[in-house]
Amino acid sequence: MPKLIKKILFALVLFPSVIFSQTLIVQPYLQDAETTSIKIMWETSSGSESTVEWGTTNALGNSTSGISFTGSGASVIHNVSLTGLSPNTRYFYRVITGTAISTIFDFITPPLQSDEASFNLIAMSDMQRDGSQPNKYFEIVHDGVIDYISDEFGGDLPANLGFVMIPGDLVVNGLTYNQWEDHFFDPSHPLFAHVPVYPVPGNHENNSTFFFSYFDLPQNGSPGYEEHWWYKDYSNLRIIGLDSNGPYRIAEQTTWLENVLQSTCSDPDIDFVFAQLHHPHKSELWTPGETNYTGDIVTLLEDFTNTCGKPSIHFFGHTHGYSRGQSRDHQHLMVNVATAGGAIDYWGAFPQADYEEFTNSQDDYGFVFVEVEAGADPKFTLKRYTRGDAFTTLDNELQDSITVKRNGASPNQPLTLFPINQTVSPDCIRLKGSPFVDTEDGHQATHWQLSTNCADFSNPILDSWKQHENWYFENDLQAGDDLTDEEVTNLQPNSSYCWRVRYRDKSLKWSNWSAPAPFATGNSGLSANLLQNEGAESGTGNWTVVTGFLESLQALECAGVNPHSGNRYFAVGALCNEAAFAECYQNVDLSSFATEIDLGNAQINFGGYLSNYSGSDLPELNIELFDGSGNSLFQSPNYSNQTSSWVLTDINQLIPIGARTARMTLTGTRNAGLDNDSYFDDLFIRMNTNPSACDTLQTLLPIELIAFYGKNINKTNLLEWETASEINFARFELESSPDGSGFQKIGTIPALGLTNKYSFIDKNPVPGYNYYRLKMVDQDATFQYSKILAVFTKVESQISVFPNPANYATTLSIEGNQYYDNLSYSVINTFGQAEIEKMPLTASSAEINTQRLSNGVYFLVVQNNAQTVYSTRLVINH
């Protein structure tokens, strides 16, 4: 044997690790944390040793071995279970495989449920790498989550973050081994070395063995599907993982979920359920990604909240953008927590829809932070922090927030103010409810119903639900709506009706319905429908096809839908034939209304019911007005509905002088599939030759408010308003609120009569936004409210702590304390625990006794209500 070979073999025997040293491919990360146990996993280039050294200090002192199994090629995945741990206790650890030794990390075990401990969590998804933004997930983890914890809590990850939930799409292709290390685990480090992570598979995981090798999820799912669906408890929360991918959309999963929710209902320690799955039921930014199976899951969660009184959330992804909505009749949130890296689904890029459940949809990167509180008053606060988009980087700006309470009080039952036992126009009426009153929360939504029978609202002819905001395509479509009135058009003339209203607060609690209020309609100013064959009952007659196909279909014909009314509906596109785009129109002669039109005040009322099959294809209608020579005088925007429900479009438009012909155009655009599912029914064009404003309560008050505005000047807010007339009017009452709810009167201004300008100075605004409204009161005590005005207030306040370092006492001083309400201070240790609980700050200074505090570094935190206004390091050195 040659000498060189002998030397090599001799070295391999004596020093094998020198030749075959191990390296850490995937740094350690935490799995399946319990109050007395936790699993630690990592991956190495080789080596079967799976050792974790651990202890309650950096000295470690304990050693536990575990199992290992093949990753890919020579790589080895390691899994070590630490048991016999103490609840809510910090532990330090490092992992060892041969020559591969990690640095020392720490974690904190979950608390006992009996401890009623509050905690925080992160939810984010769809971090699969986008080639044009390859480092975005790293940014979300490091500049997003880790920096946020550092800025808000001093940087102690285990003390301030219980775990992370990920509803799918961790990598681009779960079958590609290197993506797990490069795209997911490397950018995630060191977050998951300190905080457990609980993912569910998305479609991009491709049901790969790598996903189930890398993650050791709770084994309490259905036999054979254990890690596809599972649940885990943390303090007063139960988290549920589900698999919404095609092969697993089966009854066995929903049956399992029903049983888990049933047991959760009777568990006194659980206040909330947070479920996660990948695919949405409804998605405003990308409707083709929706699945009805998720709708079945949502129905189970909604029923659970109502039956058990325990609020719930389902987190999802798949659509690359943020959305937050809430079920109308349940304390249930639906939250898209993407995107943490995947290419954004921008507005206008895909089929999209404005769903009534959703109040905030944004095309950006970001993550969701949830604060869960236990104890006698359990609640959670969900916050969305944005990192901007591919063009603009934002630094963890708060984009959306909602607080949901389990035991919160409901709003006061509203009153019906108008109409009550009155005769009104059937063409336009504005229902008016009393002001919103709630002792705890602001006004979140209003639900209106209209019936022909005061004793029966089971089949209302109006069932309208409006929320306090609706951020869609970069605009708040609900801006300016105070939620106490609702416009209703096109009722039957000379008929009897009854209406009622209920209010919802921002904790998703509904009031009782108001007492039903009867009213009657008089004569209509609208003409009969001028369209012929408005509902396809006469085939396609009276309509001219420009391109594609127009079909008159019976219920479910050619795999279609049911008509809105009657026996038929229009498909523009179509179903029995095939066309990616279709267009048709009908002209209506307006010459018989020429005299009224040329007086300049005639209106045209047009619209109809629009629908499609699955939310992807696009039905649109518009109207164009021509003079007698065929010249176009006006063309409306396109009005559409991209949902599978029949939705009414009802538009009133002033007619230009000289108009003699109206043309309604229908178009259908296919965005997905083979069929062009663009449906229309009960279309109409009507003339109103004597239009008037809606009948409304406002006409009963002898005042017209022209303007209401304000500005911040030298630590005060100047409010100004102007009126047009004040006949028999009594006074203005100024009301303010720090958050847009719970308004309090801050001043009264008597009426001056005629046309006047008024002003009022708020000398004590709070820092940040102040909200104002005018209560306008008549001589007979009838009143109405103005719109809500927001004024941003810059109020400087100097906060200091001296001495610092402190010995046995230090003094907290605030200059400008009169500008704050509800101030408190606390002293927090580096583990996030309160050494000095919240103490009210009622004067401009307070002496803090630090004698019982051990030497070391603490944080002194000053809060205004629950908002931190000041935080500084406090060093104790006796």
Side-chain angles (χ1 to χ4, degrees):
M1 181 179 295
K3 291 183 178 180
L4 178 60
I5 295 178
K6 289 183 178 180
K7 290 182 179 180
I8 293 174
L9 291 175
F10 182 72
L12 288 175
V13 172
L14 294 182
F15 309 105
S17 62
V18 173
I19 304 300
F20 297 115
S21 62
Q22 289 79 31
T23 58
L24 283 167
I25 296 176
V26 172
Q27 294 287 335
Y29 56 99
L30 303 176
Q31 291 282 279
D32 200 14
E34 296 286 344
T35 55
T36 60
S37 67
I38 198 167
K39 295 173 182 176
I40 300 173
M41 299 184 69
W42 69 98
E43 185 178 14
T44 57
S45 57
S46 62
S48 60
E49 180 187 1
S50 304
T51 300
V52 174
E53 294 181 344
W54 58 277
T56 55
T57 69
N58 276 323
L60 305 180
N62 301 288
S63 179
T64 299
S65 297
I67 62 173
S68 64
F69 47 90
T70 300
S72 178
S75 79
V76 180
I77 298 175
H78 307 268
N79 188 332
V80 174
S81 294
L82 304 186
T83 59
L85 308 180
S86 298
N88 200 24
T89 301
R90 187 184 298 267
Y91 289 91
F92 298 84
Y93 75 95
R94 68 178 180 181
V95 303
I96 300 175
T97 299
T99 57
I101 304 175
S102 74
T103 58
I104 294 177
F105 304 102
D106 64 344
F107 63 85
I108 296 177
T109 50
L112 293 170
Q113 288 184 318
S114 58
D115 290 342
E116 296 284 357
S118 300
F119 64 96
N120 306 317
L121 66 95
I122 291 286
M124 57 182 174
S125 76
D126 293 76
M127 51 277 298
Q128 75 263 33
R129 180 175 291 181
D130 171 18
S132 63
Q133 299 282 324
N135 298 318
K136 185 55 65 174
Y137 179 48
F138 181 93
E139 176 195 317
I140 292 291
V141 170
H142 292 262
D143 299 337
V145 175
I146 294 177
D147 276 8
Y148 173 78
I149 298 298
S150 177
D151 293 342
E152 292 294 316
F153 304 103
D156 190 336
L157 284 171
N160 297 288
L161 198 55
F163 53 88
V164 176
M165 299 175 69
I166 302 179
D169 278 7
L170 285 66
V171 294
V172 176
N173 184 352
L175 301 174
T176 304
Y177 165 71
N178 70 291
Q179 290 184 6
W180 289 98
E181 174 196 355
D182 295 342
H183 296 186
F184 181 74
F185 284 111
D186 278 359
S188 301
H189 185 72
L191 177 61
F192 299 147
H194 296 283
V195 179
V197 56
Y198 299 102
V200 294
N203 58 294
H204 278 266
E205 273 65 70
N206 286 312
N207 199 33
S208 74
T209 57
F210 292 129
F211 177 89
F212 297 99
S213 296
Y214 278 121
F215 301 107
D216 192 344
L217 300 168
Q219 303 285 316
N220 49 21
S222 304
Y225 301 99
E226 288 85 359
E227 290 185 295
H228 288 275
W229 43 89
W230 47 267
Y231 72 88
K232 171 167 285 294
D233 297 340
Y234 192 106
S235 188
N236 62 332
L237 172 67
R238 175 160 289 175
I239 62 173
I240 299 176
L242 301 166
D243 191 336
S244 60
N245 289 290
Y248 302 97
R249 297 172 188 170
I250 55 178
E252 190 158 1
Q253 183 170 196
T254 53
T255 299
W256 174 88
L257 178 60
E258 282 188 276
N259 293 331
V260 169
L261 292 176
Q262 186 176 356
S263 68
T264 309
C265 188
S266 58
D267 190 331
D269 293 322
I270 300 298
D271 293 313
F272 309 112
V273 166
F274 291 2
Q276 62 172 350
L277 72 174
H278 185 62
H279 297 82
H281 171 48
K282 292 183 177 180
S283 171
E284 292 201 325
L285 284 160
W286 186 49
T287 58
E290 299 171 346
T291 172
N292 289 332
Y293 186 79
T294 299
D296 297 337
I297 299 294
V298 172
T299 297
L300 293 176
L301 291 166
E302 290 175 335
D303 291 344
F304 163 79
T305 65
N306 278 19
T307 301
C308 308
K310 299 182 178 185
S312 63
I313 299 177
H314 77 275
F315 294 124
F316 63 93
H318 202 44
T319 299
H320 293 179
Y322 171 72
S323 286
R324 190 261 296 175
Q326 35 279 328
S327 303
R328 189 188 71 181
D329 299 318
H330 320 272
Q331 272 191 293
H332 177 77
L333 292 182
M334 45 199 72
V335 186
N336 184 353
V337 297
T339 172
I344 294 172
D345 293 337
Y346 286 102
W347 288 116
F350 302 99
Q352 293 160 345
D354 182 16
Y355 291 121
E356 62 180 2
E357 293 93 342
F358 287 90
T359 52
N360 200 326
S361 290
Q362 305 288 346
D363 53 349
D364 61 6
Y365 301 106
F367 61 92
V368 166
F369 182 80
V370 187
E371 302 163 344
V372 182
E373 296 187 34
D377 185 23
K379 60 185 176 182
F380 64 81
T381 298
L382 181 147
K383 300 177 181 179
R384 164 69 173 195
Y385 289 94
T386 177
R387 299 290 306 169
D389 56 26
F391 311 101
T392 303
T393 298
L394 301 176
D395 189 15
N396 297 345
E397 288 192 10
L398 180 63
Q399 182 183 63
D400 185 33
S401 178
I402 186 172
T403 298
V404 177
K405 305 172 184 176
R406 180 178 177 185
N407 303 320
S410 298
N412 287 7
Q413 180 185 31
L415 302 175
T416 54
L417 299 184
F418 178 84
I420 305 175
N421 293 314
Q422 290 158 308
T423 300
V424 296
S425 168
D427 304 332
C428 189
I429 176 178
R430 190 173 293 277
L431 308 177
K432 181 65 177 179
S434 60
F436 174 85
V437 178
D438 188 291
T439 58
E440 298 177 354
D441 299 294
H443 196 170
Q444 198 274 338
T446 299
H447 189 187
W448 309 86
Q449 287 188 335
L450 186 65
S451 175
T452 56
N453 185 346
C454 284
D456 184 7
F457 283 85
S458 60
N459 189 26
I461 61 174
L462 170 75
D463 195 20
S464 175
W465 172 42
K466 299 289 178 61
Q467 304 200 67
H468 76 289
E469 62 180 353
N470 179 22
W471 286 98
Y472 182 80
F473 220 124
E474 311 292 355
N475 292 296
D476 182 5
L477 304 182
Q478 275 293 94
D481 187 351
D482 72 354
L483 300 178
T484 63
D485 56 13
E486 176 76 353
E487 184 176 298
V488 181
T489 60
N490 299 329
L491 298 178
Q492 292 296 315
N494 304 307
S495 300
S496 296
Y497 293 96
C498 205
W499 69 282
R500 65 179 186 173
V501 62
R502 61 174 177 161
Y503 291 157
R504 191 183 209 181
D505 66 23
K506 291 185 177 180
S507 188
L508 306 186
K509 294 279 190 176
W510 282 106
S511 71
N512 291 326
W513 285 101
S514 67
F519 69 95
T521 57
N523 293 322
S524 173
L526 289 173
S527 72
N529 192 354
L530 302 178
L531 282 175
Q532 302 295 312
N533 189 24
E534 68 277 9
E537 302 300 326
S538 300
T540 59
N542 302 100
W543 292 89
T544 300
V545 177
V546 178
T547 187
F549 297 95
L550 173 66
E551 297 172 344
S552 171
L553 300 180
Q554 294 179 322
L556 307 181
E557 183 179 355
C558 294
V561 298
N562 290 302
H564 174 259
S565 68
N567 299 313
R568 291 181 172 271
Y569 66 98
F570 289 119
V572 180
L575 301 186
C576 304
N577 298 284
E578 183 178 333
F581 177 79
E583 178 180 345
C584 65
Y585 69 88
Q586 182 178 154
N587 289 337
V588 170
D589 184 6
L590 305 179
S591 59
S592 61
F593 303 97
T595 301
E596 293 86 350
I597 291 173
D598 291 345
L599 289 174
N601 67 344
Q603 286 186 350
I604 190 167
N605 173 237
F606 67 95
Y609 285 87
L610 284 66
S611 176
N612 70 22
Y613 187 79
S614 63
S616 57
D617 297 339
L618 183 63
E620 295 179 290
L621 69 79
N622 66 57
I623 197 165
E624 189 170 6
L625 301 174
F626 302 89
D627 64 15
S629 300
N631 299 308
S632 179
L633 302 178
F634 167 82
Q635 183 170 357
S636 75
N638 289 333
Y639 297 96
S640 65
N641 169 40
Q642 214 162 348
T643 72
S644 56
S645 301
W646 287 107
V647 175
L648 174 65
T649 293
D650 189 345
I651 308 297
N652 289 295
Q653 172 64 46
L654 187 67
I655 301 177
I657 293 173
R660 295 296 183 265
T661 301
R663 172 178 293 178
M664 176 176 282
T665 298
L666 313 178
T667 63
T669 304
R670 184 179 67 201
N671 290 315
L674 298 177
D675 292 329
N676 190 337
D677 298 289
S678 301
Y679 312 144
F680 302 83
D681 203 356
D682 297 327
L683 301 158
F684 57 87
I685 291 179
R686 294 185 285 249
M687 286 292 297
N688 190 343
T689 55
N690 187 27
S692 59
C694 276
D695 284 345
T696 174
L697 178 65
Q698 186 170 357
T699 62
L700 304 179
L701 281 179
I703 183 172
E704 181 181 351
L705 185 66
I706 298 175
F708 180 35
Y709 44 89
K711 56 185 175 181
N712 176 238
I713 302 176
N714 296 327
K715 300 182 180 180
T716 66
N717 287 340
L718 173 64
L719 309 175
E720 298 178 287
W721 64 98
E722 185 176 353
T723 63
S725 62
E726 300 177 12
I727 303 172
N728 297 323
F729 183 67
R731 66 186 183 276
F732 297 93
E733 294 180 2
L734 269 294
E735 296 182 352
S736 72
S737 167
D739 58 3
S741 63
F743 282 85
Q744 301 292 325
K745 185 169 73 172
I746 59 173
T748 300
I749 304 292
L752 301 176
L754 301 177
T755 300
N756 284 287
K757 294 183 178 180
Y758 296 84
S759 64
F760 179 87
I761 296 177
D762 181 3
K763 297 181 179 179
N764 298 296
V766 298
Y769 278 104
N770 290 256
Y771 298 87
Y772 301 95
R773 68 183 182 186
L774 295 171
K775 183 177 181 180
M776 300 174 285
V777 187
D778 193 11
Q779 295 286 3
D780 63 0
T782 305
F783 65 88
Q784 65 177 326
Y785 283 100
S786 71
K787 69 176 183 180
I788 296 174
L789 175 69
V791 179
F792 186 77
T793 310
K794 295 181 179 179
V795 180
E796 300 296 333
S797 181
Q798 300 297 322
I799 304 179
S800 60
V801 179
F802 184 81
N804 189 8
N807 188 353
Y808 296 113
T810 189
T811 299
L812 170 67
S813 300
I814 300 184
E815 179 184 348
N817 183 33
Q818 67 270 24
Y819 297 112
Y820 288 97
D821 290 325
N822 303 316
L823 278 182
S824 63
Y825 68 87
S826 55
V827 176
I828 310 296
N829 63 28
T830 55
F831 298 121
Q833 300 163 329
E835 297 287 351
I836 299 179
E837 298 286 352
K838 279 188 177 181
M839 299 291 292
L841 187 61
T842 57
S844 59
S845 65
E847 184 174 288
I848 303 174
N849 186 341
T850 59
Q851 183 172 358
R852 68 179 182 83
L853 299 181
S854 301
N855 289 344
V857 177
Y858 299 83
F859 294 94
L860 177 60
V861 178
V862 180
Q863 291 186 312
N864 178 16
N865 291 319
Q867 181 178 3
T868 299
V869 297
Y870 178 74
S871 177
T872 189
R873 289 178 181 268
L874 176 62
V875 179
I876 305 300
N877 186 14
H878 297 311

